């Protein structure tokens, strides 16, 4: 994948993950009109094998393995599917809820993987978690997944105060999180207490610097996926490329995470600057040597990152 040396400035576990990833060949995405190939790509990731599900659950959300037990149940509203997970020992008076949106290139990360990732995130953050199982490619391009997310957010607002809600996601899930917040504001819905954006893909024009400088870390070429996802809409449509949206000071306090080897580092940095210019409380954390989505839950850095998110959310909930 790259001849760049593995840095000695990160944990041994992170070094091992980088060395392993470096041996993986880049695979181009199928052509936008090759529906069968896209379907096969999604089906290949939709394994029920527990080890595969566990690995994908962490890779698509930033979750880490834990001994904390959390119950999980399927749910749905207006045709949109999600899972509700609750960590063991959660107080009956704890009304906080995290709406979490998994990544996976708008193609995988749903089904059994979404069920497990919702369970892990609930255990990691320590709050009730609603994990999206939104519609994906190739059958359901934009705006299907976003429609699902807004339907579930509307349902969440019917039963919870906005100050008790936070929304987060990784990669494509962070794209949907940001688009959801812009659309919710535009539709007159109240904003949640906080937002979590891990390696957000927010500019589908691929103009950011690290799309070039960190191209060695791309798992494959993204143009075909983006072309299929946008469904004929302009790349600069704000609900597709949220960086082109209008941000105002009522956007919720936000924590943003990326890595020095993340091809979406520029997207993350540029969104952080835009939030600051709008007067939004926004924290940017860039991790040494980290790839897109950190180290897939395999390194101490991943645990530190999820604990950092937990502390941030506890703080914004306390201030709400």
């Amino acid at each position: 994948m790259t001849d760049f040396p593995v840095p000695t400035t990160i944990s041994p576990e992170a070094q091992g993950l980088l060395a392993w990833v470096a041996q993986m060949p880049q695979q181009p995405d199928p052509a936008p009109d090759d529906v069968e190939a896209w379907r096969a790509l999604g089906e290949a990731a939709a394994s029920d094998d527990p080890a595969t599900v566990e690995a994908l659950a962490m890779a698509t959300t930033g979750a880490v393995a834990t001994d904390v037990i959390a119950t999980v149940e399927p749910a749905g509203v207006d045709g949109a599917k999600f899972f509700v997970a609750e960590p063991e020992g959660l107080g009956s008076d704890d009304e906080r809820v995290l709406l979490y949106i998994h990544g996976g290139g708008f193609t995988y990360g749903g089904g059994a993987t979404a069920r497990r990732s919702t369970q892990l995130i609930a255990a990691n953050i320590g709050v009730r978690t609603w994990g999206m199982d939104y519609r994906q490619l190739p059958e359901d391009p934009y705006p299907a997944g976003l429609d699902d997310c807004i339907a579930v957010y509307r349902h969440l607002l019917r039963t919870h105060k906005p100050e008790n809600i936070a929304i987060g996601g990784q990669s494509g899930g962070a794209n949907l999180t940001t688009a959801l917040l812009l659309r919710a504001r535009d539709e007159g819905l109240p904003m949640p207490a906080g937002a979590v954006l891990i390696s957000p893909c927010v500019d589908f024009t691929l103009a950011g610097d690290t799309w070039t400088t960190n191209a060695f870390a791309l798992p494959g070429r993204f143009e075909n996926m983006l072309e299929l996802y946008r469904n004929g809409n302009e790349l600069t449509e704000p609900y597709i490329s949220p960086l082109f949206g209008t941000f105002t000071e009522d956007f919720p306090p936000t924590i943003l995470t990326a890595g020095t080897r993340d091809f979406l580092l520029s997207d993350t940095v540029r969104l952080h600057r835009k939030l600051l210019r709008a007067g939004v409380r926004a924290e940017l954390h860039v991790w040494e040597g980290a790839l897109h989505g950190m180290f897939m839950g395999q390194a101490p850095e991943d645990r530190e990152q999820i604990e950092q998110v937990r502390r941030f959310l506890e703080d914004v909930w306390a201030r709400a």
Side-chain angles (χ1 to χ4, degrees), residues 185 246-252 275 278-280:
R185 182 205 59 199
T246 300
F247 290 84
T248 50
E249 62 182 8
D250 58 346
F251 198 88
L275 289 171
V280 177

Side-chain angles (χ1 to χ4, degrees), residues 6-29:
V6 172
T8 60
T9 50
I10 56 179
S11 70
E13 294 89 343
Q15 291 179 45
L17 188 280
L18 285 189
W20 174 72
V21 169
Q23 305 305 312
M24 299 175 63
Q26 290 183 329
Q27 297 291 336
D29 287 334

Side-chain angles (χ1 to χ4, degrees), residues 76-272:
V77 60
D78 298 331
K81 298 187 295 182
F82 60 103
F83 294 97
V84 177
E86 184 172 310
E88 187 177 50
L90 186 70
S92 59
D93 59 344
D94 193 335
E95 299 181 354
R96 299 173 301 168
V97 177
L98 172 60
L99 175 60
Y100 207 83
I101 309 173
H102 69 80
F106 306 103
T107 307
Y108 58 91
T113 300
R115 179 186 181 93
R116 180 56 177 155
S117 64
T118 303
Q119 193 173 31
L120 284 172
I121 289 291
N124 289 167
I125 303 300
V127 298
R128 188 173 294 105
T129 300
W130 291 23
M132 288 300 308
D133 189 10
Y134 55 92
R135 288 172 289 171
Q136 299 190 91
L137 300 175
E139 283 82 4
D140 296 298
Y142 172 86
L146 181 57
D147 286 346
D148 288 349
C149 293
I150 197 78
V152 173
Y153 183 55
R154 284 183 177 278
H155 181 55
L156 191 55
L157 287 170
R158 295 185 193 110
T159 54
H160 295 78
K161 297 177 181 178
E163 59 265 31
N164 290 330
I165 301 170
I167 305 178
Q170 176 173 295
S171 190
N175 169 286
L176 289 168
T177 296
T178 315
L180 166 62
L181 290 167
L182 291 175
R183 182 169 158 183
R185 182 205 59 199
D186 294 346
E187 293 183 6
L189 298 177
M191 290 286 97
V196 177
L197 303 176
I198 303 174
S199 295
C201 180
V202 289
D203 179 7
F204 274 24
T205 71
L206 312 186
D209 184 47
T210 53
W211 279 100
T212 300
T213 59
N214 282 349
F216 67 87
L218 279 162
R221 297 190 63 81
F222 269 50
E223 290 90 336
N224 290 349
M225 181 271 287
L226 300 183
E227 181 64 26
L228 179 59
Y229 177 75
R230 70 166 172 156
N231 197 23
N233 292 278
E234 293 295 327
L235 289 173
T236 54
E237 155 65 46
Y239 300 156
I240 291 176
S241 293
L243 194 65
F244 294 93
T246 300
F247 290 84
T248 50
E249 62 182 8
D250 58 346
F251 198 88
T254 303
I255 184 170
L256 304 97
T257 295
T260 59
R261 294 193 174 202
D262 187 351
F263 56 90
L264 288 177
L265 174 58
S266 284
D267 280 38
T268 310
V269 167
R270 293 165 67 209
L271 180 57
H272 177 244

